């Protein structure tokens, strides 16, 4: 079965302030957007499981005009804290990319 990373046009993560991380899934076209949007891997529960946060804290935004899905979740530790390992959150997209559709 294909993964989100193989299906989407582009997946990235980025810093969304000192307390949040955002993962953007650029789908490329409407068909892929609808397919990924319907996936059980793009749910608050699954994102919470993958990143170790509570599902109530996960935010998912579907932007059909742009064929983009935006996922935001709280950092486990604040940006810059001595145990924080990805200051710019640039590597956090990998977990979402590897989820099966």
């Amino acid at each position: 079965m294909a993964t989100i990373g193989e299906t989407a046009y582009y997946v990235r993560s980025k810093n969304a302030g000192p307390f949040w991380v955002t993962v953007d899934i650029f789908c490329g076209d409407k068909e892929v957007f609808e397919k990924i949007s319907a996936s059980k891997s793009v749910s608050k529960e699954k994102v919470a499981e993958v990143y170790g946060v509570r599902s109530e804290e996960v935010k998912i935004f579907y932007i059909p005009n742009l064929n983009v899905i935006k996922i935001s979740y709280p950092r486990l530790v604040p940006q810059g804290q001595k145990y924080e390992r990805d200051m710019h959150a640039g590597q956090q997209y990998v977990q979402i990319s590897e989820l099966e559709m």
Side-chain angles (χ1 to χ4, degrees):
M1 179 171 261
T3 65
I4 289 175
E6 294 168 339
T7 306
Y9 175 73
Y10 187 68
V11 181
R12 74 172 180 195
S13 58
K14 59 185 179 176
N15 179 31
F19 306 109
W20 287 85
V21 172
T22 293
V23 177
D24 298 320
I25 304 171
F26 297 89
C27 300
D29 62 43
K30 191 161 202 64
E31 181 181 330
V32 173
F33 174 79
E34 290 173 359
K35 182 187 278 189
I36 294 175
S37 294
S39 170
K40 291 182 182 182
S41 292
V42 180
S43 69
K44 290 183 176 190
E45 293 74 24
K46 187 63 175 179
V47 172
E49 176 188 324
V50 168
Y51 292 106
V53 298
R54 295 186 345 208
S55 61
E56 302 83 35
E57 298 176 311
V58 175
K59 299 176 183 182
I60 301 178
F61 305 94
Y62 299 93
I63 309 166
N65 292 359
L66 300 175
N67 297 316
V68 172
I69 302 166
K70 184 181 237 9
I71 301 168
S72 295
Y73 62 91
R75 290 175 175 267
L76 296 178
V77 295
Q79 179 187 22
Q81 194 251 15
K82 70 179 183 177
Y83 296 110
E84 193 264 329
R85 300 182 325 206
D86 188 4
M87 176 83 80
H88 301 290
Q91 302 301 313
Q92 301 306 308
Y93 74 95
V94 174
Q95 294 92 319
I96 294 290
S97 289
E98 293 178 345
L99 292 176
E100 290 187 353
M101 296 282 298

